[in-house]
Amino acid sequence: MEIKQHHKHPYSPAYNLLLQAGPRLKLLHQVHAHAIVSGYGCSRFLLTKLLNLACAAGSISYTRQIFLIVPNPDSFLFTSLIRSTSKFHNFSVYSLYFYTRMVLSNVAPSNYTFTSVIKSCADLVALRHGKIIHGHVLVNGFGSDVLFDRMKEIGVEPNSATFVSVLSACAHLGAFILGCWVHEYAVGNGLNLNVVLGTSLINMYTRCGNLSKAREVFDSMKERNVVAWTAMISGYGTNGYGSQAVELFHEMRRNGLLPNSITFVAVLSACAHAGLVNEGRRVFESMREEYRLVPEVEHHVCLVDMLGRAGLLDEAYNFIKEIHEEPAPAIWTAMLGACKMHKNFGLGAQVAEHLLASEPENPAHYVILSNIYALAGRMDQVEMVRDNMIRKCLKKQVGYSTIDLDRKTYLFSMGDKSHTETNEIYHYLDQLMRKCRETGYVTVSDSVMHELEEEGEYALGYHSEKLAIAFGLLKTSHGTVIRIVKNLRMCEDCHSAIKYISVISNREIIVRDKLRFHHFKSGSCSCLDYW
């Protein structure tokens, strides 16, 4: 059959040829070859149509072959492909395959995606896969969608394992509102609060900064194993309640439960962040002497961190030298952070040598070393460190912050102007910071001095957490807690500024950074400036 070109159609000639070819494999091969020769071979729009027609022609091998050459497939392409394969019973398994590729490619699914892939699960009687995808449905905010009803119609009812999966995602993302909804849904559907589900709820609430809800779940559990106790202890520690963490640890021991290696990491970390040095020393000794557990890297890191934060730099350094094996980079990193905190530049330089020797390609080490030199006024050394980073093609990790509003997650980076309401956000933040300065806030000069590869004080004023907080205050009513998740450690200037913002706005602001939680309220922080 000869294919005629019709120029009346608004699409490209190659696309018009595809429309004429239809789901006929031989003609599709011809049109594909024609598209490559005429320069349309990489057109995602054209390839999406070709994929659907190849699938309709019954050739899954050709469909996969085309898929592998698509540059950066988007949500529309994935969804079209998943819908096409879900229409043919023999191709249902490929619907799951393409959905998996979509997830691994970090491409956001739509409700249409879920409708199709759930149909394939039903056709394959793949209940296990259906329950996993059910978790994805909830995490992506489609829990109340007609899609959801379709799952229940085909017999994919949520169970404890489903909710554990969803709660884990909520904990990771800091998605508090969705996590609460999952909790209510589980209770409303009569799910038993077993130790696994209960522990998942504790993790979710503590990772979202709500200790009272976490403790409420913990106290309501009929069965509590060492994992549940450890989750609650860890939650207290990361949120700045070190004394409560230690108290709960002792209560656990009184109840006859044996702490494991992870429990000791949680307790030691809590002691480090709360400055409970003597208690931390006793816990570390009991680990070795009473429970006969051999300290691992994580325990060594916690102890060095604890001693270093408390200013006991010599003791921390001597402890490292007593470790029998070669100290792990994480141990040197904790030591270097302590040197920076207490402005011990000589020791910091020695520690940095060990760290750079063990991980010469890690840009974070160069950044903190540069910071130390900048604080010491050694700008010649700062330039040397920057030159080394440039020569090694190393870049500082980009910081970003997220805020969850109305079941949607919004992401901000430093100086970000991609948001549709950028002008309003920046104007509001400028006004907010002006009011902060009027009440006593001044930029932390140390932070300005060592802003590596950034724009000094201007950049500092528009760090990602400040933008996210401004957006949250703009979009929520008075009395609503603002919850922010940041991928890096918060800088000193932002920490100072947010204390003032909490007063000006009369709001509680919770920031989860790389290391811990900061609960800002009425001008103070739960970390007591010890972080």
Side-chain angles (χ1 to χ4, degrees), residues 263-292:
T263 311
F264 279 103
V265 171
V267 180
L268 289 170
S269 178
C271 291
H273 285 290
L276 303 174
V277 176
N278 290 332
E279 188 66 52
R281 286 193 182 109
R282 285 193 289 269
V283 169
F284 189 76
E285 284 304 312
S286 72
M287 176 186 177
R288 296 191 297 186
E289 301 298 327
E290 186 177 348
Y291 294 98
R292 301 298 178 187

Side-chain angles (χ1 to χ4, degrees), residues 164-376:
V164 167
S165 173
V166 179
L167 289 168
S168 175
C170 291
H172 176 71
L173 297 170
F176 177 69
I177 301 300
L178 179 58
C180 290
W181 183 89
V182 171
H183 187 185
E184 291 172 6
Y185 189 95
V187 171
N189 282 268
L191 259 73
N192 178 39
L193 190 66
N194 59 34
V195 70
V196 177
L197 181 58
T199 303
S200 296
L201 284 167
I202 292 169
N203 275 325
M204 185 276 292
Y205 280 124
T206 58
R207 294 281 287 165
C208 291
N210 194 315
L211 270 295
S212 60
K213 289 289 288 183
R215 187 59 194 252
E216 187 180 302
V217 172
F218 179 78
D219 290 338
S220 69
M221 292 171 65
K222 294 178 182 177
E223 178 192 357
R224 294 181 298 207
N225 62 10
V226 66
V227 180
W229 284 86
T230 299
M232 195 66 236
I233 291 167
S234 178
Y236 275 131
T238 55
N239 281 273
Y241 301 97
S243 297
Q244 289 91 327
V246 172
E247 183 182 324
L248 193 63
F249 171 67
H250 291 314
E251 184 182 336
M252 172 185 165
R253 295 168 72 188
R254 288 194 297 271
N255 276 269
L257 279 87
L258 292 176
N260 60 23
S261 180
I262 299 171
T263 311
F264 279 103
V265 171
V267 180
L268 289 170
S269 178
C271 291
H273 285 290
L276 303 174
V277 176
N278 290 332
E279 188 66 52
R281 286 193 182 109
R282 285 193 289 269
V283 169
F284 189 76
E285 284 304 312
S286 72
M287 176 186 177
R288 296 191 297 186
E289 301 298 327
E290 186 177 348
Y291 294 98
R292 301 298 178 187
L293 293 172
V294 178
E296 299 173 21
V297 170
E298 294 83 359
H299 307 100
H300 292 151
V301 170
C302 288
L303 199 70
V304 170
D305 190 35
M306 180 186 74
L307 296 172
R309 287 173 185 273
L312 303 171
L313 299 182
D314 290 338
E315 184 179 347
Y317 192 56
N318 289 332
F319 174 80
I320 293 174
K321 291 193 290 187
E322 290 171 3
I323 297 174
H324 298 302
E325 64 273 10
E326 179 66 25
I331 296 173
W332 288 120
T333 300
M335 188 71 220
L336 188 60
C339 291
K340 174 180 175 287
M341 177 185 291
H342 296 286
K343 298 179 171 57
N344 190 323
F345 309 122
L347 183 57
Q350 292 180 48
V351 172
E353 288 181 14
H354 291 287
L355 194 52
L356 294 176
S358 61
E359 286 189 332
E361 304 304 317
N362 189 331
H365 303 333
Y366 293 88
V367 171
I368 194 169
L369 179 59
S370 173
N371 293 347
I372 287 173
Y373 283 136
L375 289 168

